[in-house]
PDB file of all heavy atoms in Angstrom:
ATOM      1  N   VAL A 203     -72.323 174.812 -63.606  1.00 96.00           N
ATOM      2  CA  VAL A 203     -72.028 175.800 -64.641  1.00 96.00           C
ATOM      3  C   VAL A 203     -73.272 176.624 -64.893  1.00 96.00           C
ATOM      4  O   VAL A 203     -74.355 176.079 -65.130  1.00 96.00           O
ATOM      5  CB  VAL A 203     -71.588 175.127 -65.968  1.00 96.00           C
ATOM      6  CG1 VAL A 203     -71.259 176.206 -67.009  1.00 96.00           C
ATOM      7  CG2 VAL A 203     -70.391 174.223 -65.751  1.00 96.00           C
ATOM      8  N   ASN A 204     -73.114 177.937 -64.831  1.00 93.00           N
ATOM      9  CA  ASN A 204     -74.199 178.871 -65.140  1.00 93.00           C
ATOM     10  C   ASN A 204     -73.796 179.636 -66.393  1.00 93.00           C
ATOM     11  O   ASN A 204     -72.821 180.389 -66.380  1.00 93.00           O
ATOM     12  CB  ASN A 204     -74.415 179.832 -63.967  1.00 93.00           C
ATOM     13  CG  ASN A 204     -75.628 180.728 -64.177  1.00 93.00           C
ATOM     14  OD1 ASN A 204     -76.026 181.019 -65.290  1.00 93.00           O
ATOM     15  ND2 ASN A 204     -76.211 181.176 -63.073  1.00 93.00           N
ATOM     16  N   ALA A 205     -74.524 179.430 -67.491  1.00 93.00           N
ATOM     17  CA  ALA A 205     -74.141 180.042 -68.767  1.00 93.00           C
ATOM     18  C   ALA A 205     -75.373 180.449 -69.561  1.00 93.00           C
ATOM     19  O   ALA A 205     -75.498 180.122 -70.745  1.00 93.00           O
ATOM     20  CB  ALA A 205     -73.267 179.085 -69.572  1.00 93.00           C
ATOM     21  N   TYR A 206     -76.305 181.155 -68.918  1.00 90.00           N
ATOM     22  CA  TYR A 206     -77.457 181.687 -69.641  1.00 90.00           C
ATOM     23  C   TYR A 206     -76.978 182.803 -70.573  1.00 90.00           C
ATOM     24  O   TYR A 206     -76.270 183.723 -70.136  1.00 90.00           O
ATOM     25  CB  TYR A 206     -78.508 182.239 -68.673  1.00 90.00           C
ATOM     26  CG  TYR A 206     -79.274 181.173 -67.927  1.00 90.00           C
ATOM     27  CD1 TYR A 206     -78.963 180.850 -66.615  1.00 90.00           C
ATOM     28  CD2 TYR A 206     -80.325 180.497 -68.545  1.00 90.00           C
ATOM     29  CE1 TYR A 206     -79.681 179.875 -65.925  1.00 90.00           C
ATOM     30  CE2 TYR A 206     -81.046 179.524 -67.864  1.00 90.00           C
ATOM     31  CZ  TYR A 206     -80.725 179.221 -66.554  1.00 90.00           C
ATOM     32  OH  TYR A 206     -81.437 178.261 -65.880  1.00 90.00           O
ATOM     33  N   SER A 207     -77.343 182.733 -71.834  1.00 85.00           N
ATOM     34  CA  SER A 207     -76.837 183.685 -72.819  1.00 85.00           C
ATOM     35  C   SER A 207     -77.222 185.121 -72.492  1.00 85.00           C
ATOM     36  O   SER A 207     -76.452 186.054 -72.736  1.00 85.00           O
ATOM     37  CB  SER A 207     -77.346 183.315 -74.222  1.00 85.00           C
ATOM     38  OG  SER A 207     -78.762 183.298 -74.253  1.00 85.00           O
ATOM     39  N   GLU A 208     -78.415 185.335 -71.910  1.00 81.00           N
ATOM     40  CA  GLU A 208     -78.864 186.697 -71.640  1.00 81.00           C
ATOM     41  C   GLU A 208     -78.104 187.358 -70.501  1.00 81.00           C
ATOM     42  O   GLU A 208     -78.204 188.576 -70.291  1.00 81.00           O
ATOM     43  CB  GLU A 208     -80.366 186.712 -71.329  1.00 81.00           C
ATOM     44  CG  GLU A 208     -80.784 185.968 -70.079  1.00 81.00           C
ATOM     45  CD  GLU A 208     -81.134 184.507 -70.337  1.00 81.00           C
ATOM     46  OE1 GLU A 208     -80.649 183.947 -71.355  1.00 81.00           O
ATOM     47  OE2 GLU A 208     -81.885 183.930 -69.542  1.00 81.00           O
ATOM     48  N   GLU A 209     -77.332 186.587 -69.742  1.00 80.00           N
ATOM     49  CA  GLU A 209     -76.603 187.159 -68.615  1.00 80.00           C
ATOM     50  C   GLU A 209     -75.172 187.552 -68.971  1.00 80.00           C
ATOM     51  O   GLU A 209     -74.470 188.146 -68.165  1.00 80.00           O
ATOM     52  CB  GLU A 209     -76.634 186.195 -67.425  1.00 80.00           C
ATOM     53  CG  GLU A 209     -78.045 186.015 -66.887  1.00 80.00           C
ATOM     54  CD  GLU A 209     -78.146 185.042 -65.735  1.00 80.00           C
ATOM     55  OE1 GLU A 209     -77.090 184.553 -65.277  1.00 80.00           O
ATOM     56  OE2 GLU A 209     -79.268 184.764 -65.294  1.00 80.00           O
ATOM     57  N   ASN A 210     -74.699 187.174 -70.155  1.00 83.00           N
ATOM     58  CA  ASN A 210     -73.412 187.636 -70.686  1.00 83.00           C
ATOM     59  C   ASN A 210     -72.208 187.291 -69.809  1.00 83.00           C
ATOM     60  O   ASN A 210     -71.232 188.036 -69.756  1.00 83.00           O
ATOM     61  CB  ASN A 210     -73.446 189.152 -70.924  1.00 83.00           C
ATOM     62  CG  ASN A 210     -74.498 189.543 -71.952  1.00 83.00           C
ATOM     63  OD1 ASN A 210     -74.616 188.910 -72.997  1.00 83.00           O
ATOM     64  ND2 ASN A 210     -75.274 190.559 -71.639  1.00 83.00           N
ATOM     65  N   TYR A 211     -72.282 186.197 -69.087  1.00 89.00           N
ATOM     66  CA  TYR A 211     -71.113 185.717 -68.348  1.00 89.00           C
ATOM     67  C   TYR A 211     -71.245 184.211 -68.151  1.00 89.00           C
ATOM     68  O   TYR A 211     -72.329 183.637 -68.312  1.00 89.00           O
ATOM     69  CB  TYR A 211     -70.958 186.422 -66.999  1.00 89.00           C
ATOM     70  CG  TYR A 211     -72.015 186.078 -65.964  1.00 89.00           C
ATOM     71  CD1 TYR A 211     -71.867 184.968 -65.126  1.00 89.00           C
ATOM     72  CD2 TYR A 211     -73.146 186.865 -65.814  1.00 89.00           C
ATOM     73  CE1 TYR A 211     -72.825 184.646 -64.187  1.00 89.00           C
ATOM     74  CE2 TYR A 211     -74.115 186.559 -64.870  1.00 89.00           C
ATOM     75  CZ  TYR A 211     -73.945 185.452 -64.057  1.00 89.00           C
ATOM     76  OH  TYR A 211     -74.906 185.139 -63.126  1.00 89.00           O
ATOM     77  N   VAL A 212     -70.120 183.582 -67.828  1.00 94.00           N
ATOM     78  CA  VAL A 212     -70.106 182.157 -67.502  1.00 94.00           C
ATOM     79  C   VAL A 212     -69.572 182.016 -66.091  1.00 94.00           C
ATOM     80  O   VAL A 212     -68.545 182.611 -65.733  1.00 94.00           O
ATOM     81  CB  VAL A 212     -69.222 181.359 -68.481  1.00 94.00           C
ATOM     82  CG1 VAL A 212     -69.115 179.897 -68.040  1.00 94.00           C
ATOM     83  CG2 VAL A 212     -69.787 181.437 -69.895  1.00 94.00           C
ATOM     84  N   GLU A 213     -70.273 181.234 -65.281  1.00 94.00           N
ATOM     85  CA  GLU A 213     -69.872 181.021 -63.894  1.00 94.00           C
ATOM     86  C   GLU A 213     -69.696 179.526 -63.644  1.00 94.00           C
ATOM     87  O   GLU A 213     -70.562 178.724 -64.008  1.00 94.00           O
ATOM     88  CB  GLU A 213     -70.938 181.583 -62.955  1.00 94.00           C
ATOM     89  CG  GLU A 213     -70.675 181.330 -61.474  1.00 94.00           C
ATOM     90  CD  GLU A 213     -71.878 181.730 -60.638  1.00 94.00           C
ATOM     91  OE1 GLU A 213     -72.860 180.939 -60.592  1.00 94.00           O
ATOM     92  OE2 GLU A 213     -71.846 182.828 -60.048  1.00 94.00           O
ATOM     93  N   VAL A 214     -68.569 179.145 -63.043  1.00 96.00           N
ATOM     94  CA  VAL A 214     -68.295 177.747 -62.703  1.00 96.00           C
ATOM     95  C   VAL A 214     -68.007 177.671 -61.215  1.00 96.00           C
ATOM     96  O   VAL A 214     -67.179 178.429 -60.698  1.00 96.00           O
ATOM     97  CB  VAL A 214     -67.085 177.194 -63.488  1.00 96.00           C
ATOM     98  CG1 VAL A 214     -66.867 175.714 -63.149  1.00 96.00           C
ATOM     99  CG2 VAL A 214     -67.281 177.376 -64.990  1.00 96.00           C
ATOM    100  N   ALA A 215     -68.701 176.776 -60.507  1.00 95.00           N
ATOM    101  CA  ALA A 215     -68.453 176.542 -59.088  1.00 95.00           C
ATOM    102  C   ALA A 215     -68.077 175.073 -58.916  1.00 95.00           C
ATOM    103  O   ALA A 215     -68.854 174.185 -59.283  1.00 95.00           O
ATOM    104  CB  ALA A 215     -69.674 176.889 -58.250  1.00 95.00           C
TER     105      ALA A 215
END
Side-chain angles (χ1 to χ4, degrees):
V203 181
N204 186 333
Y206 287 101
S207 58
E208 64 269 23
E209 295 178 5
N210 298 315
Y211 69 87
V212 174
E213 176 189 79
V214 182

